[in-house]
Amino acid sequence: MAGTTLHTDSTPVTAAELLEQGFTPVEISDLKTLRDAWNPAAEQVESMLEWRRMQFARWLYENGHFTEEVTG
């Protein structure tokens, strides 16, 4: 979209402004649905849990609780 300015602040954008920028009413509705469903706190928690799991797996490996050897 040539000429479109992206803002990184949290200034709300109205539906009228989106219409002026060329969005259709359906696209505006889809954006609202997406925004309502997005939860940055949940995303951060999930990322932190994954990071801690990786740290724990590394600790297990470094302390000899499992190895790369295949047994069976």
Side-chain angles (χ1 to χ4, degrees):
M1 287 196 221
T4 301
T5 303
L6 298 176
H7 299 281
T8 57
D9 60 10
S10 60
T11 305
V13 177
T14 66
E17 291 171 323
L18 292 174
L19 283 170
E20 287 176 12
Q21 295 212 5
F23 286 86
T24 67
V26 172
E27 290 171 327
I28 293 169
S29 176
D30 289 346
L31 285 171
K32 182 178 179 341
T33 301
L34 180 63
R35 181 177 179 192
D36 291 344
W38 182 63
N39 183 347
E43 191 173 298
Q44 183 178 5
V45 167
E46 184 177 320
S47 176
M48 182 57 70
L49 285 173
E50 185 64 24
W51 173 249
R52 288 185 178 169
R53 286 184 189 116
M54 294 295 289
Q55 287 178 312
F56 181 62
R58 181 179 180 182
W59 180 87
L60 287 172
Y61 178 76
E62 288 174 346
N63 288 279
H65 293 281
F66 68 88
T67 65
E68 294 179 13
E69 292 179 25
V70 177
T71 58

